[in-house]
Amino acid sequence: MVKLLMSILIITAASMWALTGCDSNTETAEQSSESASKQDITTIETSTPAAHNVDWSLVASGEKPADRANYQYPFALDSQNVRDYAEYFEVDSATAQHNLTVSMASNEALSKALDQLSETYVSHELTDDKDMTLIIHTTPDVTASRYDYVLSDDFAKGLVLPIVIQPDGKKSEVKAHGKVAE
């Protein structure tokens, strides 16, 4: 009987040893999971978010810039729309003619930039001065940059719209006359 009991104990011990492995450094599944969790937390705590860069080659239209001095604008220089724009934004008629045309075609450039910015986009604005610019406000994790986009739509084909990525996280504030607040 003692021999039978000893045999059972030896078999049981051998089975336990086989199940747990013979390496004293072997971790149980629970220990392994705890180690992985601790490592993930350390990685998250020590890593900083990488800056998001706009790849302007994906935004580029492939158009060549037009000669602005000889451009055939869709609005006559002396049209009522151009005169109203010039008066309202206090710019000369040529600037008004150009800005009116570019502003109406600006969604072409904006939509291409937004394809890359998605959830980092905050707001955008067009300046109404001599050098109309599309300013895109983003979250701070986007790299500031600038690009001269050449419009490709027939309405403003070849006209250049400078785009500025401004990672300030701000929404633009508009004054009473529609001009952007400084």
Side-chain angles (χ1 to χ4, degrees):
M1 176 89 164
V2 174
K3 284 186 178 183
L4 181 60
L5 189 56
M6 287 296 273
S7 295
I8 293 173
L9 285 173
I10 291 172
I11 292 171
T12 305
S15 297
M16 294 295 288
W17 182 73
L19 288 174
T20 60
C22 59
D23 187 1
S24 62
N25 291 328
T26 303
E27 292 182 330
T28 65
E30 185 177 306
Q31 290 170 327
S32 178
S33 176
E34 285 177 20
S35 292
S37 293
K38 286 179 184 174
Q39 189 175 15
D40 289 344
I41 291 170
T42 304
T43 304
I44 291 168
E45 289 173 350
T46 59
S47 66
T48 55
H52 178 77
N53 297 311
V54 173
D55 182 351
W56 292 114
S57 68
L58 298 175
V59 175
S61 68
E63 273 307 311
K64 300 247 187 259
D67 177 15
R68 190 170 162 179
N70 298 317
Y71 194 82
Q72 297 297 312
Y73 287 94
F75 302 101
L77 193 58
D78 63 349
S79 69
Q80 187 63 49
N81 291 336
V82 171
R83 288 194 316 254
D84 290 345
Y85 188 102
E87 181 183 329
Y88 189 77
F89 292 108
E90 300 171 357
V91 294
D92 61 76
S93 293
T95 299
Q97 182 186 45
H98 176 78
N99 287 1
L100 192 56
T101 305
V102 170
S103 67
M104 292 183 76
S106 65
N107 278 344
E108 173 188 325
L110 178 63
S111 65
K112 287 183 177 184
L114 291 181
D115 284 345
Q116 291 186 54
L117 294 170
S118 60
E119 61 274 346
T120 63
Y121 168 81
V122 176
S123 69
H124 70 278
E125 61 191 89
L126 280 171
T127 62
D128 293 299
D129 53 8
K130 183 121 179 106
D131 299 308
M132 178 173 264
T133 303
L134 172 61
I135 300 171
I136 302 174
H137 300 275
T138 66
T139 57
D141 58 331
V142 177
T143 303
S145 59
R146 178 183 169 88
Y147 180 74
D148 288 333
Y149 181 80
V150 182
L151 295 161
S152 63
D153 186 63
D154 288 339
F155 185 76
K157 190 173 193 165
L159 295 178
V160 176
L161 174 60
I163 303 172
V164 172
I165 302 297
Q166 205 164 314
D168 56 9
K170 295 181 181 177
K171 291 197 181 267
S172 58
E173 296 178 22
V174 180
K175 292 181 182 177
H177 290 287
K179 295 182 183 177
V180 175
E182 305 272 336

